[in-house]
Amino acid sequence: MENKIIGNINSRVKELRKALNMTQVSFSQVIALSSGYLAGIETEKRRVNNRLIKLICSSFNASEQWLRSGEGNMFAGNDDEKYIRLVGLFKELESRYQDYIFKEIGLLLKMQEGRGEMDETL
């Protein structure tokens, strides 16, 4: 998804959230940030630090180059078929179902961290 260069990093965070068809609440939940803080970022009242950039990129498969400068593709590894399919399906869900998916993914990640070697027996 090649995008035109968008203003500054704060506006690109907002553009990314909108491209993912996410609310401020659901986006901020994924990166463990308050929705108020995210709103502050999007209205340029808060700064985006390096840690947050890394977190956003790893959580949403966003291109760090695009997020920092506005150059290149919004998403890293756009050729990943599973990711593209997942994003397409996710966008079709109503907001309440998207929120449910995030909660379930969070639980799965916790299970994965806690069980490590046990995964093969499940």
Side-chain angles (χ1 to χ4, degrees):
M1 169 185 293
E2 187 76 29
N3 286 344
K4 64 181 188 269
I5 295 180
I6 298 169
N8 60 30
I9 194 165
N10 296 62
S11 60
R12 284 188 292 277
V13 169
K14 183 176 183 178
E15 184 70 16
L16 174 65
R17 178 181 63 78
K18 287 184 170 190
L20 292 168
N21 198 29
M22 296 176 75
T23 65
Q24 285 182 334
V25 172
S26 60
F27 188 91
S28 61
Q29 283 176 342
V30 172
I31 56 176
L33 197 67
S34 76
S35 56
Y37 195 92
L38 179 61
I41 288 171
E42 291 186 359
T43 58
E44 300 183 27
K45 293 179 181 168
R46 301 244 184 214
R47 293 176 50 113
V48 180
N49 62 32
N50 285 328
R51 183 178 110 16
L52 188 55
I53 290 169
K54 297 284 188 190
L55 184 59
I56 289 170
C57 290
S58 66
S59 298
F60 300 108
N61 197 36
S63 162
E64 188 171 338
Q65 177 188 5
W66 178 84
L67 190 56
R68 288 183 185 275
S69 68
E71 297 175 359
N73 292 326
M74 181 184 289
F75 295 102
N78 277 340
D79 56 348
D80 185 331
E81 187 178 318
K82 285 183 181 178
Y83 178 77
I84 293 169
R85 185 170 170 228
L86 177 65
V87 170
L89 292 170
F90 185 83
K91 284 182 175 182
E92 292 180 27
L93 293 172
E94 294 176 12
S95 177
R96 63 186 171 139
Y97 297 124
Q98 290 176 350
D99 293 341
Y100 173 78
I101 294 294
F102 283 122
K103 287 178 189 175
E104 292 301 311
I105 288 173
L107 290 172
L108 288 170
L109 288 171
K110 286 179 184 176
M111 287 172 48
Q112 178 176 289
E113 290 171 8
R115 293 196 176 159
E117 303 84 27
M118 292 176 55
D119 287 342
E120 292 178 19
T121 62
L122 293 179

